[in-house]
């Protein structure tokens, strides 16, 4: 019989069992469910709601179930619907009446909310770790290639020269913001819902503060109806993950372009590329393409849960069971993408000659030529027009700006002097952008120092969270 079967005369239809069961995916929560139940039983005993002996038997029985699940010896049953009832049934089977007292002063509604809060703290730790590994890699690769120069683009048209380190550090800062966003996710996940009961609180003299402290939560929900139906903390994670995937997807697009024969800026290692079944010459950037593709799937999970939530009346509705698969998949997908990216970037070869060579053959120094004139008193708008004419002339005559002679320069403005060629060398263009956040080598070096400090702070936050998320399961 079902744990809730008392008022029913007929068996549940098989297809309804299959349709409503969450055990195929929520069995992932067994550790959280067991830790939560032990804390609950101990609180019940401490407040005289069940006996100390019952609580001890419950704890012992649950820890045995934990071992049997981890050894792959536990049989999960669809008929028992979800992880909560699978474990509770097994407990009662093992220890009898004490097991039947575990669900006193609790509902599956606050129970599943507790499990998901615990799970989310663990997920945040896992994501934080993968983010930190990629942040470190980006900083290391940027440091290794500090003197490599390549064209910077706007509209995918060559714009101004930049350091490769500047380009890579832009991604460092994006992903650092993702790590910072995890803090908001953590704050929202670090609230303890058990004690809300089905929706309205419970009639027993419970002490949710005890469960909060036993599981290392910071706070309690102030409202029982909110406690059982809040899924904001999951949406916040999905939003954070969507943004992080978007960052990785942008990086992917650049890696794909850079690895193409047209660019030839980088070569990905064989270990991180795949071949074609028909074209023997191919070496495809599949990892980047898949990360770009999987971004769509993560966005989908955010939209799916936001849509599940939008019409829900208070408090628990079965719709809420739909919160799990998308979140689990997002945690796995984002973690995978972050980790594979760190390894791939570390093993990629940078073709510095090629990056530099394309700059010798274009007009990425045109802004600097205009700045040269403006610094000699020509109004910038006029200087812009003059350089525009020079560029046009060069295109017509198959030249670049540094091919021009001083007398050619002088035909456009008397303000040009001998030092113009030095002023528009690629190295000078880079060095001249010596402003806050700019690409001048000294500024980039300062960014790298700042990044090292930021990483030290993040490492500490990460270690603190990892400790808090560790379940008391001994
Ligand atoms: N499996 C359910 C879920 O994930 C657990 C809560 C069920 N509560 C209920 N009243 N049916 O949401």
């Amino acid at each position: 019989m079902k744990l809730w079967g008392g008022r029913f005369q007929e068996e549940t239809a098989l297809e309804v069992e299959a349709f409503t069961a969450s055990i195929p995916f929520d069995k992932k929560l067994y550790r959280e469910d067991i830790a939560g139940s032990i804390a609950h039983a101990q609180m019940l005993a401490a407040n005289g709601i069940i006996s100390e002996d019952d609580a001890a038997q419950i704890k012992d029985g649950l820890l045995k179930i934990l071992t049997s699940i981890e050894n792959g010896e536990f049989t999960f049953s669809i008929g028992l619907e979800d992880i909560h009832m699978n474990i509770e049934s097994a407990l009662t089977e093992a220890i009898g009446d004490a097991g039947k007292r575990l669900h006193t002063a609790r509902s599956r509604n606050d129970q599943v909310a507790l499990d998901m809060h615990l799970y989310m703290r663990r997920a945040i730790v896992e994501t934080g770790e993968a983010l930190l590994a990629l942040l470190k890699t980006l900083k290391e690769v940027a440091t290794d290639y500090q003197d490599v120069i390549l064209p910077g683009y706007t509209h995918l048209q060559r714009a101004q020269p930049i350091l490769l380190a500047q380009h890579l550090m832009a991604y460092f800062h994006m992903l650092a913001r993702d790590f910072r966003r995890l803090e908001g996710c953590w704050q929202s996940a670090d609230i303890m819902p058990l004690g809300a009961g089905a929706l309205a609180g419970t009639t027993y003299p419970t002490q949710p503060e005890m469960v909060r402290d036993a599981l290392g939560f910071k706070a309690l929900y102030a409202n029982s109806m909110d406690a059982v139906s809040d899924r904001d903390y999951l949406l916040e994670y999905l939003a954070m993950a969507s943004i992080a995937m978007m960052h990785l997807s942008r990086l992917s697009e650049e890696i794909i372009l850079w690895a193409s024969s047209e660019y030839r800026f980088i070569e990905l290692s064989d270990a991180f590329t795949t071949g074609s079944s028909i074209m023997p010459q191919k070496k495809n950037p599949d990892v980047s393409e898949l990360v770009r593709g999987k971004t769509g799937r993560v966005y989908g999970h955010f939209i799916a849960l936001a849509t599940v939530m939008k019409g829900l009346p208070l408090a628990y509705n079965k719709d809420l069971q739909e919160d799990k698969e998308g979140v689990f998949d997002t945690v796995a997908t984002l973690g995978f993408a972050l980790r594979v990216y760190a390894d791939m970037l570390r093993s990629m070869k940078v073709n510095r000659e090629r990056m530099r060579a394309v700059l010798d053959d274009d007009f990425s120094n045109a802004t600097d030529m205009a700045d040269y004139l403006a610094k000699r008193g020509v109004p910038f708008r006029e200087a812009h027009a003059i350089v525009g004419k020079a560029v046009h002339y060069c295109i017509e005559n198959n030249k670049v700006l540094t091919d021009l002679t001083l007398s050619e320069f002088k035909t456009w403005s008397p303000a040009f002097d001998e030092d113009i060629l030095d002023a528009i060398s690629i190295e000078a263009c880079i060095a001249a952008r010596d402003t806050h956040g700019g690409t001048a080598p000294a500024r980039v070096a300062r960014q790298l120092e700042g990044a090292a400090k930021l990483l030290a702070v993040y490492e500490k936050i990460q270690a603190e969270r990892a400790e808090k998320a560790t379940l008391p399961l001994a």
Side-chain angles (χ1 to χ4, degrees), residues 286-336:
D286 283 25
V287 169
S288 295
E289 292 170 65
L290 262 182
V291 167
R292 190 176 58 186
K294 283 176 190 290
T295 303
R297 155 179 178 154
V298 170
Y299 288 2
H301 293 321
F302 173 82
I303 297 290
L305 185 57
T307 310
V308 164
M309 298 306 294
K310 76 180 269 292
L312 284 193
L314 286 172
Y316 183 86
N317 301 269
K318 187 75 166 178
D319 316 43
L320 289 171
Q321 182 168 289
E322 284 292 305
D323 64 354
K324 289 177 194 63
E325 287 156 290
V327 167
F328 295 160
D329 185 66
T330 300
V331 173
T333 302
L334 177 58
F336 217 123

XYZ file of all heavy atoms in Angstrom, residues 286-336:
392
model
N 34.968 20.832 -32.095
C 33.673 20.354 -31.588
C 33.374 20.787 -30.161
O 32.219 21.027 -29.812
C 33.621 18.820 -31.616
C 33.383 18.277 -33.006
O 33.718 18.995 -33.961
O 32.868 17.156 -33.118
N 34.409 20.844 -29.327
C 34.158 21.199 -27.927
C 33.538 22.595 -27.863
O 32.513 22.812 -27.214
C 35.467 21.127 -27.103
C 35.266 21.758 -25.732
C 35.924 19.682 -26.964
N 34.153 23.526 -28.575
C 33.617 24.891 -28.571
C 32.217 24.941 -29.178
O 31.342 25.656 -28.692
C 34.549 25.829 -29.330
O 35.773 25.916 -28.654
N 32.026 24.186 -30.240
C 30.704 24.201 -30.874
C 29.640 23.641 -29.934
O 28.531 24.165 -29.841
C 30.737 23.386 -32.170
C 31.581 24.034 -33.248
C 31.809 23.099 -34.428
O 30.829 22.750 -35.105
O 32.963 22.722 -34.670
N 30.000 22.590 -29.208
C 29.026 21.995 -28.287
C 28.731 22.908 -27.105
O 27.586 23.010 -26.651
C 29.546 20.663 -27.755
C 29.017 19.422 -28.459
C 29.575 18.178 -27.800
C 27.482 19.387 -28.431
N 29.759 23.574 -26.621
C 29.526 24.516 -25.519
C 28.569 25.616 -26.006
O 27.617 25.989 -25.312
C 30.857 25.105 -24.995
C 30.599 26.304 -24.090
C 31.652 24.026 -24.249
N 28.824 26.101 -27.213
C 27.938 27.119 -27.798
C 26.529 26.546 -27.935
O 25.548 27.208 -27.604
C 28.508 27.535 -29.157
C 27.859 28.742 -29.802
C 28.581 29.116 -31.100
N 28.592 28.012 -32.067
C 29.256 28.032 -33.233
N 29.957 29.092 -33.589
N 29.200 26.995 -34.046
N 26.433 25.302 -28.377
C 25.119 24.678 -28.553
C 24.400 24.431 -27.240
O 23.193 24.660 -27.122
N 25.142 23.969 -26.254
C 24.516 23.642 -24.972
C 24.051 24.890 -24.226
O 23.274 24.787 -23.276
C 25.482 22.830 -24.102
C 25.589 21.371 -24.530
C 26.628 20.633 -23.696
C 26.923 19.253 -24.260
N 25.804 18.287 -24.101
N 24.520 26.049 -24.653
C 24.038 27.291 -24.056
C 22.524 27.400 -24.254
O 21.791 27.816 -23.355
C 24.775 28.482 -24.691
O 26.170 28.285 -24.487
C 24.346 29.803 -24.075
N 22.066 26.974 -25.413
C 20.626 27.014 -25.699
C 19.847 26.143 -24.733
O 18.765 26.507 -24.263
N 20.427 25.000 -24.435
C 19.745 24.061 -23.544
C 19.656 24.616 -22.124
O 18.629 24.489 -21.453
C 20.554 22.781 -23.628
C 20.523 21.844 -22.544
C 21.432 20.726 -23.027
N 21.553 19.705 -22.027
C 21.829 18.436 -22.313
N 22.001 18.079 -23.562
N 21.933 17.569 -21.368
N 20.704 25.297 -21.676
C 20.673 25.884 -20.329
C 19.669 27.045 -20.282
O 18.888 27.161 -19.327
C 22.093 26.308 -19.885
C 22.045 27.133 -18.609
C 22.969 25.063 -19.685
N 19.661 27.875 -21.313
C 18.638 28.937 -21.364
C 17.248 28.294 -21.252
O 16.358 28.800 -20.586
C 18.661 29.697 -22.697
C 19.817 30.621 -22.938
C 20.852 30.770 -22.019
C 19.872 31.385 -24.106
C 21.906 31.626 -22.282
C 20.916 32.238 -24.369
C 21.941 32.362 -23.463
O 22.965 33.203 -23.727
N 17.083 27.176 -21.954
C 15.798 26.471 -21.959
C 15.382 26.080 -20.553
O 14.215 26.224 -20.178
N 16.329 25.605 -19.759
C 15.999 25.202 -18.388
C 15.531 26.396 -17.553
O 14.631 26.281 -16.724
C 17.207 24.543 -17.723
C 17.585 23.232 -18.338
N 16.647 22.303 -18.767
C 18.797 22.668 -18.609
C 17.278 21.243 -19.266
N 18.568 21.448 -19.182
N 16.163 27.548 -17.761
C 15.709 28.742 -17.031
C 14.278 29.096 -17.431
O 13.398 29.287 -16.585
C 16.639 29.948 -17.284
C 16.089 31.212 -16.673
C 16.267 31.484 -15.322
C 15.335 32.103 -17.435
C 15.715 32.614 -14.745
C 14.779 33.234 -16.854
C 14.969 33.495 -15.511
N 14.059 29.145 -18.731
C 12.724 29.517 -19.238
C 11.686 28.499 -18.769
O 10.564 28.847 -18.391
C 12.713 29.574 -20.789
C 13.667 30.662 -21.287
C 11.313 29.804 -21.337
C 13.226 32.064 -21.007
N 12.061 27.210 -18.777
C 11.123 26.165 -18.374
C 10.664 26.379 -16.932
O 9.462 26.373 -16.645
C 11.772 24.782 -18.529
N 11.600 26.604 -16.029
C 11.201 26.746 -14.625
C 10.467 28.072 -14.390
O 9.475 28.117 -13.654
C 12.415 26.620 -13.692
C 12.079 26.641 -12.203
C 11.083 25.545 -11.824
C 13.347 26.514 -11.339
N 10.930 29.128 -15.039
C 10.231 30.412 -14.889
C 8.787 30.260 -15.359
O 7.859 30.845 -14.777
C 10.950 31.500 -15.691
N 8.584 29.452 -16.390
C 7.234 29.240 -16.920
C 6.406 28.338 -16.003
O 5.213 28.580 -15.797
C 7.319 28.639 -18.347
O 8.213 29.434 -19.112
C 5.963 28.609 -19.013
N 7.051 27.324 -15.438
C 6.350 26.480 -14.459
C 5.832 27.350 -13.315
O 4.713 27.178 -12.822
C 7.305 25.393 -13.890
C 6.729 24.776 -12.628
C 7.565 24.310 -14.926
N 6.620 28.306 -12.881
C 6.294 29.076 -11.685
C 5.229 30.143 -11.928
O 4.534 30.542 -10.990
C 7.548 29.780 -11.138
C 8.669 28.865 -10.690
S 8.158 27.627 -9.487
C 7.746 28.647 -8.086
N 5.100 30.606 -13.156
C 4.385 31.873 -13.345
C 2.901 31.824 -13.011
O 2.318 32.833 -12.637
C 4.603 32.433 -14.753
C 3.823 31.757 -15.860
C 4.138 32.399 -17.203
C 3.188 33.533 -17.541
N 1.823 33.074 -17.803
N 2.286 30.670 -13.102
C 0.856 30.654 -12.803
C 0.503 29.945 -11.508
O -0.675 29.668 -11.258
N 1.501 29.614 -10.689
C 1.224 28.748 -9.540
C 0.611 29.486 -8.355
O 1.190 30.432 -7.848
C 2.524 28.090 -9.042
C 3.088 26.934 -9.855
C 4.155 26.230 -9.035
C 1.997 25.965 -10.260
N -0.549 29.012 -7.909
C -1.094 29.560 -6.665
C -0.307 28.993 -5.480
O 0.320 27.941 -5.603
C -2.527 29.031 -6.654
C -2.463 27.754 -7.417
C -1.387 27.934 -8.466
N -0.345 29.647 -4.342
C 0.263 29.096 -3.136
C -0.528 27.865 -2.716
O -1.721 27.809 -2.942
C 0.235 30.140 -2.015
C 1.232 31.289 -2.157
C 0.947 32.351 -1.092
C 2.673 30.798 -2.048
N -0.005 26.831 -2.075
C 1.421 26.803 -1.781
C 2.028 25.712 -2.666
O 2.242 25.943 -3.846
C 1.656 26.514 -0.301
N 2.202 24.455 -2.147
C 2.766 23.404 -2.996
C 1.775 22.968 -4.069
O 0.581 22.803 -3.822
C 3.175 22.173 -2.159
C 3.822 21.106 -3.024
C 5.186 21.152 -3.287
C 3.070 20.102 -3.624
C 5.786 20.209 -4.123
C 3.655 19.158 -4.466
C 5.015 19.218 -4.711
O 5.605 18.291 -5.538
N 2.269 22.790 -5.257
C 1.540 22.143 -6.350
C 2.508 21.160 -6.990
O 3.721 21.399 -7.009
C 1.119 23.167 -7.418
C 0.228 24.259 -6.856
O -0.984 24.158 -6.848
N 0.843 25.338 -6.368
N 1.963 20.086 -7.517
C 2.837 19.049 -8.077
C 3.715 19.576 -9.215
O 4.779 19.023 -9.516
C 1.991 17.862 -8.546
C 2.779 16.649 -9.005
C 3.403 15.842 -7.872
C 3.871 14.470 -8.380
N 4.527 13.692 -7.316
N 3.254 20.668 -9.831
C 4.079 21.291 -10.885
C 5.514 21.497 -10.396
O 6.459 21.459 -11.182
C 3.548 22.682 -11.277
C 2.044 22.766 -11.450
O 1.314 22.200 -10.615
O 1.609 23.429 -12.414
N 5.642 21.762 -9.097
C 6.962 22.095 -8.540
C 7.965 20.960 -8.685
O 9.171 21.179 -8.634
C 6.827 22.508 -7.066
C 6.166 23.878 -6.847
C 5.873 24.097 -5.378
C 7.046 24.993 -7.387
N 7.464 19.753 -8.872
C 8.370 18.624 -9.080
C 9.183 18.791 -10.370
O 10.234 18.183 -10.524
C 7.545 17.326 -9.134
C 8.348 16.062 -9.308
C 7.494 14.828 -9.068
O 7.117 14.543 -7.937
N 7.166 14.111 -10.132
N 8.651 19.636 -11.262
C 9.349 19.905 -12.525
C 10.591 20.781 -12.338
O 11.241 21.162 -13.301
C 8.399 20.595 -13.522
C 7.394 19.655 -14.149
C 8.056 18.634 -15.082
O 8.775 19.046 -15.999
O 7.870 17.426 -14.858
N 10.880 21.146 -11.094
C 12.040 22.011 -10.857
C 13.372 21.263 -10.973
O 14.417 21.876 -11.079
C 11.953 22.680 -9.467
C 11.996 21.672 -8.302
O 11.973 20.459 -8.542
O 12.023 22.132 -7.135
N 13.316 19.921 -10.944
C 14.557 19.188 -10.689
C 15.421 18.884 -11.908
O 16.613 19.191 -11.922
C 14.248 17.878 -9.954
C 13.819 18.167 -8.543
C 13.419 16.942 -7.776
C 12.700 17.408 -6.536
N 11.439 18.149 -6.856
N 14.827 18.248 -12.929
C 15.674 17.754 -14.017
C 16.485 18.856 -14.702
O 17.669 18.675 -14.993
C 14.832 17.013 -15.053
C 14.361 15.661 -14.538
C 13.117 15.186 -15.244
O 12.043 15.788 -15.025
O 13.219 14.230 -16.039
N 15.821 19.996 -14.917
C 16.524 21.103 -15.587
C 17.670 21.628 -14.741
O 18.743 21.960 -15.257
N 17.436 21.694 -13.431
C 18.503 22.172 -12.544
C 19.659 21.168 -12.523
O 20.825 21.541 -12.670
C 17.957 22.425 -11.120
C 19.097 22.621 -10.123
C 17.045 23.656 -11.118
N 19.335 19.886 -12.374
C 20.406 18.878 -12.356
C 21.214 18.928 -13.661
O 22.439 18.869 -13.660
C 19.826 17.459 -12.188
C 19.142 17.229 -10.858
C 18.233 16.176 -10.707
C 19.406 18.037 -9.750
C 17.599 15.943 -9.485
C 18.771 17.805 -8.533
C 17.864 16.761 -8.399
N 20.486 19.026 -14.764
C 21.162 19.041 -16.064
C 22.029 20.286 -16.222
O 23.109 20.242 -16.804
C 20.119 18.970 -17.193
C 20.774 18.869 -18.556
O 21.414 17.835 -18.817
O 20.693 19.832 -19.343
N 21.534 21.406 -15.680
C 22.299 22.653 -15.787
C 23.592 22.570 -14.984
O 24.656 22.973 -15.464
C 21.442 23.840 -15.294
O 20.281 23.911 -16.119
C 22.202 25.143 -15.363
N 23.496 22.046 -13.779
C 24.694 21.929 -12.933
C 25.736 21.065 -13.656
O 26.921 21.416 -13.724
C 24.336 21.319 -11.560
C 25.590 21.029 -10.744
C 23.412 22.264 -10.791
N 25.283 19.958 -14.244
C 26.220 19.057 -14.925
C 26.783 19.710 -16.189
O 27.985 19.656 -16.447
C 25.514 17.747 -15.275
N 25.910 20.347 -16.966
C 26.346 20.929 -18.243
C 27.329 22.072 -18.026
O 28.379 22.147 -18.672
C 25.111 21.446 -19.025
O 24.202 20.354 -19.217
C 25.501 22.021 -20.369
N 26.988 22.959 -17.092
C 27.882 24.095 -16.835
C 29.219 23.613 -16.275
O 30.283 24.076 -16.699
C 27.206 25.078 -15.868
C 28.040 26.289 -15.452
C 28.481 27.127 -16.656
C 27.267 27.179 -14.465
N 29.164 22.657 -15.357
C 30.402 22.145 -14.765
C 31.297 21.530 -15.830
O 32.499 21.798 -15.893
N 30.703 20.756 -16.703
C 31.431 20.106 -17.788
C 32.075 21.158 -18.697
O 33.268 21.086 -19.028
C 30.447 19.265 -18.606
C 31.031 17.972 -19.085
C 30.434 16.759 -18.756
C 32.170 17.968 -19.871
C 30.968 15.564 -19.195
C 32.715 16.776 -20.320
C 32.108 15.567 -19.982
